[in-house]
Amino acid sequence: IFAHIFSQMIIVKTKEEIELMREAALVVSKTLGEVAKAVKPGVTTLELDKIAETCIRDQGAIPGFLGLYDFPNTLCMSPNSQVVHGIPNDTPLVEGDIISIDCGAIKNGFYGDHAYTFPIGEIAQETEQLLKVTKESLYVGIKEFKLGNRVGDVGYAIQKYCEDHGYGVVRELVGHGLGRKMHEDPEMPNYGKRGRGKKFIEGMVVAIEPMINLGTQRIKQHRDGWTITTLDGKPSAHFEHDVAIVDGKPELLSTFAYIYEALGITSDEENNFRQKALVL
């Protein structure tokens, strides 16, 4: 997300508000799980967009992206070299593609907002490794989102992890605070220096979202005003979670569990970031 749209004040949430935000995040989690069931060669991103809108509304929520800054759809759908903010269309997905699906919803007056990059069938080994490392870097960053640390600690951890694997870390797009607005303070870059930036405090809620390129870190924006692609045309991966600081530690509000259930994946990656078990 571009940085200039942020308000410049951290809005701390009460524990009750964090639980309301968890409900909003889980609307998105369940929606991505429904979309995951339909992500396959031959499906169009517009068809997936319709599934998502129906699923969000069926949960008594409102699509968070539709109309936000005049965005025309429920999902941001960004295949292959598209980094983020791709607009759904009638082009079918094909074997070997990857696609970042970013979803937002409003429930209880709060936003949920997270993303997952899906492989379409069998994908190139180097692209599969990009997805693996990018998702791992998300949790490397989340681990640093704790009382007393700073924005730069999260950014540094993600940047080092990804650059050590030879990948480009996008600079112009960042994660963000989350609440009654989609974009709140602070900005959460995926690069930085340890000990720099705003200090994390109890009750903060942010969206952490590594956007990592197979090649150059450089990007370009297209004439539609939305679509962002890598400058060299190589693939880009994007994973995002909503996280709160609860009792000084990072607490996941969103989950990939519904996606994994749909895809038949077993994972314990989220266990360290939940103070109570997730019930599907």
Side-chain angles (χ1 to χ4, degrees):
I1 304 298
F2 283 107
H4 66 265
I5 51 182
F6 292 80
S7 61
Q8 292 302 308
M9 185 180 70
I10 292 172
I11 302 171
V12 173
K13 281 52 175 199
T14 65
K15 287 195 173 182
E16 291 76 16
E17 288 174 324
I18 287 170
E19 290 310 308
L20 293 175
M21 290 195 70
R22 191 192 303 274
E23 289 182 26
L26 289 177
V27 168
V28 179
S29 301
K30 291 171 185 175
T31 301
L32 288 174
E34 284 302 306
V35 170
K37 297 174 186 176
V39 173
K40 60 189 75 166
V43 72
T44 71
T45 49
L46 262 181
E47 288 170 333
L48 297 175
D49 192 71
K50 289 187 177 72
I51 291 169
E53 180 174 357
T54 299
C55 186
I56 289 169
R57 295 191 189 282
D58 283 352
Q59 295 178 77
I62 301 166
F65 294 172
L66 185 61
L68 183 70
Y69 314 121
D70 296 325
F71 188 75
N73 291 89
T74 294
L75 298 176
C76 292
M77 309 283 278
S78 308
N80 302 320
S81 65
Q82 293 186 20
V83 182
V84 285
H85 301 166
I87 298 172
N89 58 39
D90 286 321
T91 305
L93 297 174
V94 299
E95 183 93 10
D97 281 346
I98 61 170
I99 185 160
S100 159
I101 302 182
D102 194 353
C103 181
I106 306 166
K107 188 167 187 179
N108 307 317
F110 289 100
Y111 278 89
D113 168 30
H114 62 110
Y116 192 90
T117 300
F118 294 85
I120 310 302
E122 292 291 318
I123 63 173
Q125 189 171 355
E126 66 173 2
T127 309
E128 192 172 339
Q129 179 70 2
L130 171 69
L131 265 57
K132 177 177 181 288
V133 170
T134 303
K135 182 151 67 71
E136 288 169 353
S137 80
L138 172 61
Y139 296 102
V140 166
I142 289 170
K143 189 177 178 183
E144 300 301 318
F145 182 60
K146 59 189 177 183
L147 202 63
N149 269 9
R150 293 179 181 269
V151 167
D153 295 308
V154 172
Y156 173 84
I158 293 170
Q159 178 184 6
K160 182 172 185 345
Y161 194 80
C162 293
E163 289 183 349
D164 282 353
H165 285 84
Y167 299 137
V169 178
V170 174
R171 301 299 202 269
E172 295 88 343
L173 301 147
V174 297
H176 49 92
L178 190 69
R180 293 189 183 276
K181 293 184 177 178
M182 173 68 79
H183 301 112
E184 294 184 357
D185 204 31
E187 297 175 19
M188 295 291 295
N190 298 304
Y191 62 94
K193 295 185 177 178
R194 285 179 176 151
R196 299 282 182 87
K198 294 188 176 179
K199 187 178 278 190
F200 299 139
I201 54 179
E202 183 75 14
M204 282 182 70
V205 181
V206 299
I208 298 175
E209 50 178 322
M211 290 158 273
I212 310 298
N213 301 341
L214 185 63
T216 180
Q217 68 187 43
R218 298 177 66 196
I219 60 172
K220 61 181 178 182
Q221 186 172 28
H222 288 240
R223 281 181 293 183
D224 62 17
W226 284 104
T227 307
I228 305 287
T229 58
T230 58
L231 198 60
D232 59 9
K234 292 183 178 179
S236 182
H238 174 217
F239 292 87
E240 178 180 17
H241 267 314
D242 301 341
V243 196
I245 294 182
V246 177
D247 299 330
K249 297 180 289 189
E251 171 77 7
L252 273 182
L253 305 183
S254 53
T255 182
F256 294 149
Y258 296 97
I259 294 171
Y260 293 159
E261 187 177 43
L263 300 181
I265 295 170
T266 302
S267 171
D268 61 0
E269 66 194 17
E270 297 180 5
N271 290 1
N272 292 334
F273 306 107
R274 286 193 196 287
Q275 295 183 27
K276 52 188 177 184
L278 180 73
V279 181
L280 293 187

